[in-house]
Structures are given as C-alpha cells and as structure tokens.
Amino acid sequence: MKRRLLPWRSYREARNIAELAGIARRRVPNFVFEYIDGGSDDEASLANNRAVFDRYRFTPRTLTDVSVRDISTQLFGRRIGMPVVIGPTGFNGMVTKDGDLKLARAAAAHGIPFALSTVSTVSMEDIARVPGGWPWMQVYFFRDRKFVRELVARCAAAGYDTIAVTTDSAIYGNREWDSRNYSAPLVLNWRNKLNVVCRPRWMLDVLVPDGLPTFKNLGDLLPPGGISPQGAAAEIGKQHMPSLNWQDIQWLRDEWKGKLILKGILSVEEARQARELGVDGVVLSNHGGRQLDHAVSPMEILPEVRQAVGANMTVMLDSGFRRGTDILKAIILGADAVLLGRATLFGLGAGGEPGVNHVLDLLQTDLHRTLGLLGCSSLKELDGSLLRRV
Ligand SMILES: Cc1cc2nc3c(=O)[nH]c(=O)nc-3n(C[C@H](O)[C@H](O)[C@H](O)COP(=O)(O)O)c2cc1C
C-alpha cells in the first residue's frame, strides 16, 4: 500500500509530483485546486492518461558503461536542458501572485522553454524579459481576427520565436466540479467563499493588494469595463471560435514567420496535414483530460504519428506526465519532448517558484537515474528495443 505524505509538510519534503499535489491541495482554496486537478465528464481521459504508462515496460541493458549521462536534447535546433517544456495553463495568477513569471523563471533556470497561455495573468512582454528564458506563446484563435493579428505582431515585437495554436478548445469541455464551485461566471458560491477565508496565506498572496488577477494579454479584446475577471471570462467564452479550421491555420502560417506548433492534435491524419501545410511541430494532447472525455491518450497514437510525419517534424505530447520514466517512454516511442501541465502547477501551488524548481529538479534527477538504469548515456541511445507493450 502506498503511504501518503502528510499534506501540511513543506514542498521540500515531497519526493514526487503526487505528494506535491497533496501539499498544493491544502495550501490553495478548493476552487483553485479543483480548477487545476479535474477533468471532464467521467474523467475517463484523465484516468487513462496515467494508466497508459503502466502498459509499457522497460527491457533495460545492464552491462554498459553509464558513468557519464546527458539528458539534454535539441528542439527546433536549440539545445535544452532536458526533453521537457512547461506547457501553457491559463489564469496561473490564481495559484500564486505572478504565477506565470514564477513558472517562466524556473523554466529558464533549468534551460527549458516555457509556453505562456493567451489567458495569462502576466503579460507576454514581461515574460519575454525573464533572463535566459526561451518563451513560447500559446494562441487561442479568437473570433476577432484583428486581435489575433495584433497578438502575433506583439509576439514578434517582444522577441518570441515560437507560437502554439491550441486546436482542441473552441468548445469547452464539461468540467462538472468546476461549475459546482460558482453561482455565476467566476462568482464563488458561499461554500467556496468560506473555504477561501480559511486560506489567509493565499488571500495575502493572491488577493491583497490588487484583488483578483486580470488577463494581461487581452487588452483591446475586452469591452470597456470588461477587464474584471468576471467580465473577461464572459467575453473569452464568446470569443472562442468553433469554426476554427485549416484555412485559419493557413492564414496564420502566412502571417507568422517563426516556428508554428499545433497543440491538441489526436489524429494521425491531422498530424500529416499539419506537416504538409508547413507547420513546424505538433503537440499531441487531450488537454490533460479536460476536453473530450474518452479520448485516446497521446501515448497511444505517438508511434503512428511519428511514422506518418517522418523523422524531421517536431513531435511533442502532453497529458499525464509525472515521472522521468513516463518521459523516457515517450522519447523511446518517438517524441522530441513532453509538455507539463499539472505537474508544475502542483509545484507552484505547493511552494511558489521554489516549488516549481523542486518539480523540475525531481524530474531532472529521475531522468538521469532512469537513463542510467536503462543502460544508456544519452537520449540518442534510446530505441525501441528498450520498451515493450504488455
Ligand atoms: C489549470 C489548467 C489550465 C490550462 N490552460 C490552458 C490554456 O490556457 N491553453 C492551453 O492550450 N492549454 C491549457 N491547459 C492544458 C495544458 O496545456 C496541457 O495540455 C495539459 O495540462 C496536459 O496534461 P497534464 O496536466 O496531465 O500534464 C490547461 C491545463 C490546466 C491543468
């Protein structure tokens, strides 16, 4: 039986991401934790995102010299510290003040990219100023095309070289736990208000002195007075564009000269189409089980996608990554890197920026150790002979 770490312990004592989730659950209000942790409908996608890793087992080599090991890799021609990207998550300012900035700094300290959400609570310009960082911008394709054009222009002006368009979120997934916490959009019901009052440390950090964090990239999109989180949430809902299709991606491909990634792909055919259109990379993703329930795990289609798009296209994936073993299984199956969603958010909730650094340190150590246990000195040595589907 697994023993659980007592939730009031410090993030420093956590030895894995599950323990950090337990600590975060205690430190942030219920509505924030449920916003991060939950999935859609019956949470079948969410559960399978973890279960899938158990269906792959290693067949390691033992008699190889692994005294020196290197977990760095190349992504879009740049060397990064490990095959990991902090993925885009919206409204991080609810977890801790300037959450995006804390995530971006931790990513920079570990030599990995940080993808900022369109609906972030720190501006893209402030993120671009983090020393030593490699910021990516996640783009929601809103109905207001002028806004999208200006957002892309702002990316270029701020020095971003990579944007990721999210393709799976124009229609919101049915997150039932989330809807129960509010009496109106972003207005908490009384139970959750009470729960917030019991978190004075969180209130001091997040609500005092500026009030609820606001969306810093949306500026002109919002009507006058719409800058309040409630007003913005309503407007964002209206701006999502269920008509999003390949012509829009073609338009963006012509508009944006940097690296273009599609995030949310779960079909081999769409990955192939992306390559044909000149897209530079895909993130296979079921949005961490928050959108379509009963969707495949990206791990289940990764080998087929790699075969379909060939060796030259960048293929990344997310949804469920919590351990070094998970990440190396994905690399063996053909991934260039993985994105983290909840893993780093749990660190952020449990311990702010040092908590995120702790998550990345844990994964770094895990990757070094697991690589050695597999009998390999570098990621290049990983191949299909080391993994078996059971
Ligand atoms: C709280 C939260 C907010 C998210 N917000 C966004 C977002 O703004 N844009 C986006 O493309 N994906 C968003 N995602 C999805 C993540 O980028 C990622 O696909 C997912 O979290 C990966 O699964 P994991 O959490 O199991 O690692 C969000 C995920 C979470 C948990």
Side-chain angles (χ1 to χ4, degrees):
M1 196 180 85
K2 269 196 178 168
R3 284 189 294 161
R4 295 223 167 267
L5 191 73
L6 297 175
W8 50 86
R9 294 289 175 92
S10 153
Y11 74 87
R12 287 184 205 87
E13 292 171 67
R15 295 289 178 271
N16 55 55
I17 310 297
E19 290 177 351
L20 283 160
I23 296 167
R25 180 192 285 276
R26 174 115 186 151
R27 287 175 60 113
V28 302
N30 172 68
F31 83 98
V32 176
F33 190 80
E34 292 201 331
Y35 162 65
I36 297 172
D37 193 47
S40 56
D41 294 357
D42 294 318
E43 302 191 327
S45 301
L46 184 72
N48 187 46
N49 285 347
R50 288 299 305 144
V52 71
F53 292 109
D54 208 34
R55 297 201 283 273
Y56 293 94
R57 300 293 167 106
F58 293 116
T59 47
R61 299 172 202 129
T62 53
L63 295 172
T64 54
D65 178 355
V66 289
S67 26
V68 179
R69 300 185 297 281
D70 177 12
I71 59 165
S72 71
T73 191
Q74 293 271 124
L75 203 57
F76 296 127
R78 273 174 81 156
R79 188 141 289 275
I80 57 173
M82 55 181 163
V84 170
V85 176
I86 297 188
T89 52
F91 222 11
N92 292 331
M94 290 299 264
V95 182
T96 171
K97 188 171 174 58
D98 294 336
D100 301 293
L101 213 48
K102 293 171 182 171
L103 288 163
R105 286 200 212 106
H110 287 81
I112 61 172
F114 165 67
L116 183 73
S117 168
T118 303
V119 288
S120 65
T121 49
V122 174
S123 77
M124 64 168 89
E125 286 80 7
D126 285 345
I127 295 295
R129 281 190 280 271
V130 169
W134 184 11
W136 297 1
M137 186 69 203
Q138 177 263 328
V139 171
Y140 277 131
F141 221 109
F142 289 145
R143 285 177 202 275
D144 185 337
R145 187 59 60 97
K146 187 166 150 280
F147 171 79
V148 181
R149 178 174 277 132
E150 282 168 10
L151 192 76
V152 170
R154 270 174 73 190
C155 284
Y160 284 74
D161 61 7
T162 306
I163 63 180
V165 178
T166 299
T167 61
D168 62 3
S169 304
I171 295 169
Y172 277 135
N174 175 38
R175 304 168 197 168
E176 293 167 1
W177 38 266
D178 209 13
S179 59
R180 259 191 299 271
N181 292 333
Y182 301 92
S183 52
L186 278 185
V187 178
L188 290 176
N189 60 24
W190 66 267
R191 269 171 206 268
N192 280 281
K193 281 183 184 152
L194 257 182
N195 181 271
V196 166
V197 176
C198 298
R199 300 282 185 291
R201 193 161 47 173
W202 178 87
M203 285 175 72
L204 274 176
D205 175 33
V206 173
L207 298 183
V208 179
D210 301 326
L212 276 180
T214 53
F215 298 102
K216 296 295 191 303
N217 294 321
L218 301 186
D220 299 343
L221 186 74
L222 303 176
I227 191 76
S228 76
Q230 289 87 355
E235 183 61 25
I236 292 166
K238 282 189 247 155
Q239 280 289 342
H240 277 297
M241 198 174 86
S243 65
L244 180 67
N245 64 59
W246 287 104
Q247 280 170 358
D248 302 307
I249 303 300
Q250 179 72 66
W251 172 84
L252 188 61
R253 180 64 292 182
D254 297 339
E255 193 84 3
W256 170 252
K257 303 300 167 223
K259 299 290 181 203
L260 180 62
I261 297 168
L262 298 186
K263 171 178 180 288
I265 300 294
L266 279 182
S267 123
V268 178
E269 190 42 45
E270 284 203 324
R272 199 182 284 125
Q273 253 177 298
R275 192 199 55 186
E276 278 160 19
L277 206 136
V279 168
D280 301 286
V282 286
V283 178
L284 309 177
S285 172
N286 64 27
H287 216 96
R290 298 162 74 81
Q291 288 292 103
L292 176 67
D293 202 19
H294 296 277
V296 287
S297 153
M299 285 290 284
E300 290 165 317
I301 54 156
L302 171 61
E304 251 182 287
V305 168
R306 174 52 81 199
Q307 206 181 15
V309 301
N312 292 334
M313 187 181 200
T314 298
V315 176
M316 296 169 281
L317 73 167
D318 70 17
S319 302
F321 287 86
R322 305 285 185 271
R323 291 269 188 191
T325 49
D326 305 337
I327 298 169
L328 292 188
K329 285 175 185 177
I331 302 295
I332 290 173
L333 293 179
D336 293 292
V338 311
L339 274 65
L340 304 175
R342 294 183 185 83
T344 29
L345 287 183
F346 290 145
L348 192 66
E353 186 176 333
V356 183
N357 278 318
H358 189 60
V359 168
L360 298 177
D361 289 346
L362 284 173
L363 290 177
Q364 214 170 33
T365 309
D366 242 18
L367 286 169
H368 266 288
R369 182 181 43 240
T370 309
L371 194 64
L373 287 170
L374 284 171
C376 297
S377 304
S378 74
L379 300 183
K380 278 199 225 90
E381 291 173 23
L382 296 172
D383 63 40
S385 71
L386 292 163
L387 200 65
R388 197 170 270 216
R389 205 186 153 123
V390 291

